Amino acid sequence: MKESLKRPLPGRDNLKETEKQKMPSLFVCKKCRKFLQAARLCTLPALFVCASLTVHAQAGAAPAGNPHQTVTLVGAGDIATCKHIESAKATAKLIEGIPGTVFAAGDLAYEKGSSEEFKDCYDPAWGAFKDRTKPALGNHEYGDHRAAGYFQYWGAQAGPEDKGYYSYDLGNWHVIVLNTNCNIKAMGGCGQGSPQETWLREDLAKHPTSCILAYGHHPLFSSGLFKKHALHPELRPFWEDLYAAHADLFLAGHEHSYERFAPQDLDGKRDPAHGIREIVVGTGGKSHDPLGMPTPNSEVREWKTYGVLKLTLSPGEYHWEFIPVEGSQFQDSGDGVCHNAPSSTD
């Protein structure tokens, strides 16, 4: 046997740095190296096998929904009315310049969410990015019987018909869309053991290591002036499940204003270690609702500005930014850490 065939294949660790950069990718592929070491022969067919394995590994390294990537979620609730559609078009203009997934947090087409209102009011404004929008049901959608106009407009994007709740993944984040219209008989309520609460609990159990974000139309906490409209304690069972799963964010609309809360527990007590940060962003374009006295842990409030909330979701952390429509000055931004983020010792 020739001397050259007796030599073991050179290890990458024995090469100088400049030589490593020049070596083919077969030294990156462990399967290829083991194959060649076993054969003790670097023939042309073997190189083709290595190249094939290496390309396959690289192609699968960054699939859609890659948990290591940073993603964008942007949107608002309480959006379009034909009475003054220009406000909704102004917020739509903001989103058109922001790539990523769009959330629409309910009350999308006023006044009744009919097929005509979705076609004539919502679609001319936010319809430009319909294909990348993940909608949630508001109470005005049920102005049309069983929210028929909503489900007709969105199709499969809206989740199972007559339910309207579903979930999806964005990078390392698991996003849950809730139907917070607990008074709709077909929903079976929002109490513990209800169909939606059972689904939520089971869905969360499947994602124990994901960062968790949920959104729906109604908030649990709000400084809204009219408390019967602003506060929704019937959502507490959902929050119990989210809190137990170490959820990070809850987005809502319903109040036509912007309000950001500190992370807090179900009783409204500040809880930076385990609490959920709620952000109310009913600023999509419909109208403005005045706010009352600040609710405990309410950090920022504004009710005279239309705009959208942009979330940058990274593995283990998030950044929020409220972006106002052209001509408005109010802004809000900050950062948070995901509760389910691995520790530095993991």
Side-chain angles (χ1 to χ4, degrees), residues 2-339:
K2 294 182 179 180
E3 184 65 27
S4 60
L5 296 181
K6 294 180 181 179
R7 297 173 186 166
L9 286 171
R12 187 174 174 87
D13 293 336
N14 295 327
L15 299 176
K16 295 180 180 179
E17 189 62 34
T18 54
E19 293 175 323
K20 291 180 184 179
Q21 295 174 358
K22 296 178 181 179
M23 294 301 293
S25 59
L26 64 91
F27 286 99
V28 180
C29 178
K30 292 182 179 179
K31 291 183 178 180
C32 299
R33 187 162 63 247
K34 289 180 180 179
F35 171 79
L36 289 176
Q37 286 175 337
R40 297 283 181 155
L41 185 64
C42 193
T43 63
L44 188 60
L47 286 175
F48 278 119
V49 171
C50 286
S52 176
L53 287 170
T54 302
V55 170
H56 179 74
Q58 290 174 344
N66 178 3
H68 302 295
Q69 69 182 145
T70 295
V71 296
T72 299
L73 182 66
V74 59
D78 306 276
I79 297 169
T81 172
C82 283
K83 293 179 180 178
H84 51 88
I85 196 172
E86 293 307 316
S87 300
K89 287 184 176 180
T91 55
K93 185 177 180 180
L94 299 174
I95 294 179
E96 287 173 359
I98 302 173
T101 301
V102 178
F103 73 90
D107 282 6
L108 312 181
Y110 286 84
E111 292 292 326
K112 297 183 177 181
S114 66
S115 296
E116 292 76 15
E117 287 168 331
F118 269 99
K119 178 175 68 72
D120 297 336
C121 311
Y122 181 88
D123 200 66
W126 282 43
F129 34 85
K130 177 182 177 181
D131 290 347
R132 59 185 177 110
T133 299
K134 302 289 188 180
L137 277 158
N139 52 289
H140 277 268
E141 272 71 60
Y142 282 101
D144 197 19
H145 182 62
R146 300 176 76 93
Y150 172 89
F151 285 108
Q152 180 180 344
Y153 180 79
W154 292 108
Q157 283 176 254
E161 192 165 348
D162 289 335
K163 293 182 179 180
Y165 50 87
Y166 58 98
S167 65
Y168 58 96
D169 294 319
L170 281 180
N172 190 50
W173 286 73
H174 186 61
V175 183
I176 298 167
V177 183
L178 294 171
N179 185 345
T180 58
N181 294 279
C182 302
N183 61 325
I184 302 300
K185 290 184 179 180
M187 291 294 302
C190 298
Q192 188 174 13
S194 65
Q196 185 173 191
E197 188 276 331
T198 300
W199 168 85
L200 173 61
R201 191 164 12 93
E202 293 174 350
D203 184 77
L204 288 167
K206 297 174 184 176
H207 301 85
T209 61
S210 297
C211 301
I212 304 293
L213 180 155
Y215 61 88
H217 183 59
H218 301 86
L220 181 62
F221 302 100
S222 172
S223 300
L225 184 61
F226 304 103
K227 297 306 179 186
K228 187 175 181 180
H229 184 271
L231 302 178
H232 294 274
E234 67 272 17
L235 299 178
R236 186 181 174 94
F238 293 167
W239 274 66
E240 289 176 352
D241 294 339
L242 291 167
Y243 185 83
H246 312 297
D248 303 286
L249 289 164
F250 189 93
L251 313 179
H254 199 53
E255 288 295 310
H256 299 181
S257 55
Y258 176 83
E259 186 168 21
R260 172 172 57 81
F261 287 85
Q264 54 190 335
D265 66 14
L266 286 76
D267 297 317
K269 297 178 181 178
R270 188 180 289 261
D271 185 356
H274 305 289
I276 300 172
R277 182 187 299 280
E278 182 188 83
I279 302 179
V280 180
V281 57
T283 55
K286 167 56 171 70
S287 60
H288 299 304
D289 287 346
L291 293 168
M293 294 296 293
T295 297
N297 300 318
S298 175
E299 295 183 320
V300 176
R301 297 163 301 283
E302 163 63 28
W303 62 274
K304 296 181 179 180
T305 303
Y306 294 123
V308 299
L309 178 67
K310 177 185 176 183
L311 294 170
T312 304
L313 307 175
S314 303
E317 59 187 10
Y318 62 92
H319 175 80
W320 74 84
E321 179 184 6
F322 179 82
I323 305 173
V325 296
E326 185 176 357
S328 298
Q329 302 301 317
F330 171 76
Q331 293 181 318
D332 180 45
S333 63
D335 301 279
V337 177
C338 164
H339 298 323

